Amino acid sequence: MSLRVFSLFLPAVLVLTIMSGCGPKVVDVTDPQAGLEPTGFQTPVHHWPEENSNSWIFLEVDDPWEPMNRNLYEINATLDKYVMLPAATLYKVFIPSVVRSGVKNFIANLNEMPVAFNSVLQGRMEKAAISFSRFLINSTFGLLGVRDLASRNKKLPRQSEDFGQTLGYWGIGSGPYFVMPILGPSNVRDAAGFGGDILILYAEMTMVYQATGIENNRPLDMTDLILRGINLRANTAFSYHSTGSPFEYEMVRFIYTKKRELDIQR
Amino acid sequence: MRTLCALTLFLLLLPSFASAEEQPYPFDDPYRATVLGTPAKLRYQFAAPVLPDVRAIRIEGRNVPEVFEYSRDMNFSTALQDHAAPLIFIIAGTGAEHNSGKMLFLTEVFYEAGYHVVALSSPTHMNFVVSASTHGVAGYVPFDVDDLNRVMGWIREELAKECEITGYSLAGYSLGALHAAFLAKRDEETREFGFRKVVMINPPVSLYRSVKRLDSWLTEENLGRTSVHNEIAGFIDRFSDYYLHAEVTDLDDDFLYDMITDINLDRRDFKTLIGAAFRVSSASMIFSSDVCLRAGYLVPPGHYPLRTASPLLGYARQAFDISFEDYLNEFLLPYLRYNDPTATRSGVLERSSLEFIRDWLAETPKVVVAGTRDDVILDAADVRFLETVFGERAHLFEHGGHCGNMMHPAFVRTLKELVQQ
């Protein structure tokens, strides 16, 4: 499928998804017995939260904007349920897996450059060399990155470095936890880092357009953005409120923070 | 020449025979089996995988607390045949959702066996408590069974509009298996569904005895002097250390599997992990019930109303420290007595055990068991109970722990035979 067809197809999928108000089909039922009316029952024993408790202290994360973050988490969950997830599902249903993995590889290949750049900024030249080699191999022999031939070489595993990690590497603290609109869990440092990575990608894409002589790149930019979004959603296993825990926000916050801490150390 | 051809053919076929040969279930330690399940490479492969639809039921006018607004609708999933077929309801185990890994797998098994499939979350899953439970209190089997039965009725009515249903069957794993048995007994009296086959997969015999075992692995009995807090913090350190030195970019199932096999967990560790997983589920259930009822167990009256923006970590910490025994004594029993002052502790425990319907189970040919002899939620007497009461209707594998070998081809074949007979 050509890029031009994609550029028409993907917005169409999104519009259709939004218009149809996707998400699970809901059936309304009535049951006067199941209204959850107040019963007045009180337990004889309590386990109320204790101020300054030391138990499970490792679960604590600096989160001064928690009320705002929680609201954002819910807005993101709703957007995901009614827009992103249905779009990703349609993408999986209508686009053959061989094309999807081509798209995934193509985007991952473009992402090698920010990874290489960030590795250089951290002075990790071996990582930078691996990412750059991967980019060269996949861009040439891998048909512009559509095939991930580099991963067949065990010495060239895909690296993961971003600007947030670079800032962390140079000793910049994470700052408060922050739930980014649409994108989800982050912190002040990583949100700023995300902006840095976008700039690097922007510069990379500008170079690609110049090299290929494309002048009107706005439709392509739009396609790139939507495609990246759908590709990311289709390849992310997490879904909101699937942990079955009312404490999901706390779990995600802890796991995100811990993982970023470790990623910076790696 | 013919011999040469035959020999060549034989040699060509040999590798395919060799690879097609089924490997036995790999773990004979039941705790390891329970945590690790069936390795991906050894799992049963479906000829035509199916993607179930997620649907939902909304009870009009239900008072759902704002903090649980996202859980207002009761979600379930369906995989429907494109021709007339019997329908099977599957009920999840403690704290599990309709589309958890085990439930998706069972959905595929019964779909492949020719059924329309409806997968339901456990009544102990917070979504069920918040959106569908009549009392808002989970863990008392008679209430949970009533709720399941009501929900199944609504779903049947809805699905009958879009597909032809030729009969009804029922299956469940773990606590869901116990629910299935009681649903079948109830159905025998009401004839609402007229279930033909009822498959109990790795059931507890007594809910109370099984959860007592799970609780015991987070106490001194298993942990010695360390507290569960320290133990979990220790696991996080060990996992972190492994992650720091592993060559990975994706934290997928394969990575988790490799990690758990590589860091040399011992039997005590596995017990702790199983106990902690159960505790996470029960903490969710207890908090959900408390908020729905405003019972004052975890949330002081002054903290209401809980909003979407309300921080919950303080309640999570408390909830994780509550054993099922505490919940039973401090919340469930007082609630049941509040409803019916004649309720007794022994009566309540009895009604949540297969022993309560023993005579009926011994006589009814349609209820069958598929499980393991080394199931970690059963003691020796429980295994004897299953063998004595069900006789030839109990299909017990030697190894597999609690639902660990559920995805192994031999177990899947048994399940399919049980519903196809």
Side-chain angles (χ1 to χ4, degrees):
Chain A
M1 197 178 284
S2 74
L3 272 178
R4 200 179 167 76
V5 178
F6 252 130
S7 68
L8 293 172
F9 172 77
L10 290 170
V13 166
L14 269 185
V15 169
L16 276 176
T17 314
I18 295 164
M19 279 171 56
S20 61
C22 277
K25 185 184 172 196
V26 181
V27 178
D28 282 317
V29 297
T30 45
D31 183 356
Q33 302 284 303
L36 266 188
E37 300 298 334
T39 62
F41 167 72
Q42 291 287 297
T43 57
V45 182
H46 317 296
H47 295 269
W48 293 344
E50 290 162 15
E51 290 285 324
N52 308 318
S53 157
N54 275 330
S55 77
W56 305 106
I57 194 125
F58 59 86
L59 291 174
E60 282 187 10
V61 172
D62 179 26
D63 189 2
W65 307 320
E66 184 167 355
M68 177 192 75
N69 281 337
R70 283 183 168 273
N71 282 321
L72 277 167
Y73 190 88
E74 276 321 302
I75 292 168
N76 288 349
T78 308
L79 272 174
D80 191 61
K81 183 176 173 184
Y82 292 104
V83 183
M84 265 87 81
L85 209 51
T89 308
L90 286 179
Y91 176 66
K92 280 191 206 165
V93 170
F94 287 109
I95 309 292
S97 71
V98 76
V99 178
R100 278 185 279 128
S101 67
V103 169
K104 185 180 162 193
N105 291 338
F106 180 75
I107 292 173
N109 189 51
L110 287 172
N111 289 345
E112 297 285 1
M113 289 317 282
V115 174
F117 189 67
N118 278 300
S119 303
V120 171
L121 290 178
Q122 295 174 38
R124 293 174 156 170
M125 302 321 270
E126 197 188 328
K127 275 181 167 249
I130 291 175
S131 293
F132 194 63
S133 311
R134 288 178 55 87
F135 180 75
L136 285 183
I137 294 169
N138 286 340
S139 300
T140 51
F141 303 113
L143 308 168
L144 298 174
V146 170
R147 297 188 66 199
D148 180 11
L149 298 180
S151 289
R152 292 184 187 175
N153 184 340
K154 285 226 157 47
K155 288 179 184 161
L156 296 176
R158 179 172 290 131
Q159 306 296 307
S160 161
E161 292 295 340
D162 55 47
F163 207 62
Q165 281 167 262
T166 301
L167 295 173
Y169 178 83
W170 290 106
I172 296 187
S174 63
Y177 184 70
F178 173 52
V179 175
M180 287 165 72
I182 301 173
L183 296 160
S186 189
N187 52 48
V188 171
R189 179 198 59 211
D190 292 343
F194 178 74
D197 286 318
I198 293 286
L199 283 179
I200 302 170
L201 265 179
Y202 182 77
E204 184 188 356
M205 292 313 289
T206 308
M207 281 191 276
V208 170
Y209 294 141
Q210 274 174 358
T212 47
I214 295 172
E215 283 177 8
N216 181 13
N217 55 13
R218 284 193 65 172
L220 274 180
D221 273 342
M222 208 48 209
T223 309
D224 183 49
L225 184 69
I226 294 171
L227 200 53
R228 274 174 187 273
I230 293 184
N231 171 63
L232 188 66
R233 191 61 195 98
N235 291 298
T236 304
F238 177 79
S239 53
Y240 286 93
H241 301 307
S242 64
T243 53
S245 169
F247 311 121
E248 182 176 287
Y249 175 89
E250 284 77 7
M251 288 158 85
V252 168
R253 180 175 69 184
F254 169 71
I255 291 168
Y256 176 82
T257 307
K258 187 77 192 168
K259 183 174 179 301
R260 290 298 286 178
E261 219 173 81
L262 296 171
D263 281 338
I264 288 164
Q265 283 178 46
R266 259 153 75 100
Chain B
M1 190 61 196
R2 237 161 97 181
T3 322
L4 191 66
C5 281
L7 190 66
T8 315
L9 196 64
F10 177 73
L11 286 174
L12 280 173
L13 285 173
L14 197 60
S16 64
F17 272 126
S19 62
E21 191 186 314
E22 186 176 302
Q23 291 190 45
Y25 184 71
F27 308 119
D28 54 12
D29 179 293
Y31 300 95
R32 183 176 288 268
T34 303
V35 174
L36 295 176
T38 308
K41 276 180 284 187
L42 303 184
R43 279 180 204 162
Y44 178 83
Q45 297 297 317
F46 296 99
V50 61
L51 189 68
D53 283 330
V54 176
R55 302 172 184 237
I57 281 181
R58 172 176 296 198
I59 298 177
E60 282 177 16
R62 189 171 167 93
N63 289 315
V64 172
E66 186 195 296
V67 68
F68 296 145
E69 185 56 39
Y70 59 83
S71 211
R72 171 174 288 276
D73 302 333
M74 195 215 71
N75 301 317
F76 63 100
S77 41
T78 58
L80 305 179
Q81 306 282 351
D82 55 10
H83 50 80
L87 184 148
I88 192 165
F89 291 99
I90 326 174
I91 304 159
T94 311
E97 203 171 9
H98 60 98
N99 56 359
S100 66
K102 286 192 177 75
M103 287 298 276
L104 280 176
F105 188 85
L106 288 176
T107 300
E108 297 233 38
V109 169
F110 295 120
Y111 182 83
E112 194 167 271
Y115 281 81
H116 298 304
V117 183
V118 171
L120 296 168
S121 301
S122 168
T124 59
H125 185 276
M126 73 160 291
N127 176 240
F128 198 106
V129 174
V130 169
S131 65
S133 152
T134 306
H135 291 270
V137 174
Y140 180 50
V141 170
F143 284 179
D144 292 345
V145 163
D146 285 348
D147 287 338
L148 280 167
N149 195 76
R150 210 176 64 252
V151 162
M152 282 160 46
W154 289 327
I155 293 172
R156 169 170 77 162
E157 205 174 305
E158 189 56 28
L159 294 187
K161 294 175 194 162
E162 50 187 281
C163 62
E164 195 180 331
I165 300 167
T166 56
Y168 294 92
S169 288
L170 193 54
Y173 76 85
S174 193
L175 177 58
L178 186 83
H179 290 144
F182 279 92
L183 277 164
K185 172 74 169 67
R186 179 196 159 110
D187 185 61
E188 183 82 2
E189 289 144 21
T190 63
R191 297 275 162 195
E192 215 174 318
F193 291 93
F195 293 120
R196 291 184 194 163
K197 295 273 172 203
V198 179
V199 186
M200 302 167 72
I201 304 165
N202 285 94
V205 172
S206 146
L207 170 62
Y208 178 68
R209 275 203 302 279
S210 289
V211 295
K212 281 274 281 180
R213 281 172 78 83
L214 293 165
D215 269 342
S216 74
W217 301 334
L218 296 187
T219 60
E220 271 185 20
E221 187 184 316
N222 183 49
L223 296 175
R225 284 189 187 170
T226 2
S227 73
V228 62
H229 304 195
N230 290 339
E231 200 71 3
I232 301 288
F235 277 126
I236 291 171
D237 288 345
R238 284 163 80 181
F239 294 156
S240 300
D241 197 51
Y242 180 83
Y243 176 70
L244 276 179
H245 301 102
E247 278 292 343
V248 279
T249 42
D250 295 322
L251 295 187
D252 54 9
D253 286 352
D254 287 342
F255 170 77
L256 293 176
Y257 183 85
D258 288 347
M259 177 173 80
I260 290 183
T261 43
D262 286 354
I263 62 178
N264 294 322
L265 300 175
D266 61 21
R267 179 171 273 206
R268 195 190 74 161
D269 294 331
F270 280 116
K271 282 179 164 183
T272 313
L273 284 175
I274 301 168
F278 174 70
R279 189 58 70 78
V280 168
S281 296
S282 76
S284 301
M285 177 189 92
I286 294 169
F287 178 70
S288 308
S289 289
D290 187 38
V291 175
C292 285
L293 255 67
R294 290 200 178 200
Y297 191 47
L298 288 160
V299 187
H303 288 203
Y304 281 108
L306 289 184
R307 304 281 188 202
T308 303
S310 305
L312 305 180
L313 186 60
Y315 313 119
R317 284 165 152 170
Q318 292 290 331
F320 194 77
D321 283 340
I322 297 172
S323 66
F324 194 87
E325 177 94 49
D326 290 341
Y327 168 69
L328 178 74
N329 294 331
E330 299 168 355
F331 192 137
L332 190 54
L333 273 173
Y335 176 78
L336 296 173
R337 287 198 185 116
Y338 181 80
N339 254 0
D340 169 14
T342 63
T344 63
R345 191 172 195 279
S346 59
V348 166
L349 299 186
E350 204 186 353
R351 283 180 178 77
S352 298
S353 163
L354 292 181
E355 284 143 359
F356 191 65
I357 51 171
R358 179 191 177 115
D359 294 344
W360 182 75
L361 289 173
E363 284 167 14
T364 182
K366 65 184 166 193
V367 184
V368 295
V369 175
T372 48
R373 237 176 269 279
D374 66 356
D375 191 334
V376 300
I377 66 164
L378 303 178
D379 59 26
D382 292 333
V383 177
R384 262 201 310 283
F385 175 92
L386 293 177
E387 286 174 333
T388 320
V389 172
F390 291 92
E392 286 186 349
R393 288 179 287 124
H395 303 260
L396 301 180
F397 289 77
E398 277 311 308
H399 299 297
H402 187 58
C403 301
N405 59 338
M406 189 194 265
M407 299 183 185
H408 189 257
F411 199 92
V412 174
R413 273 199 306 277
T414 301
L415 285 180
K416 288 172 80 170
E417 280 163 20
L418 289 176
V419 289
Q420 277 165 346
Q421 279 164 12

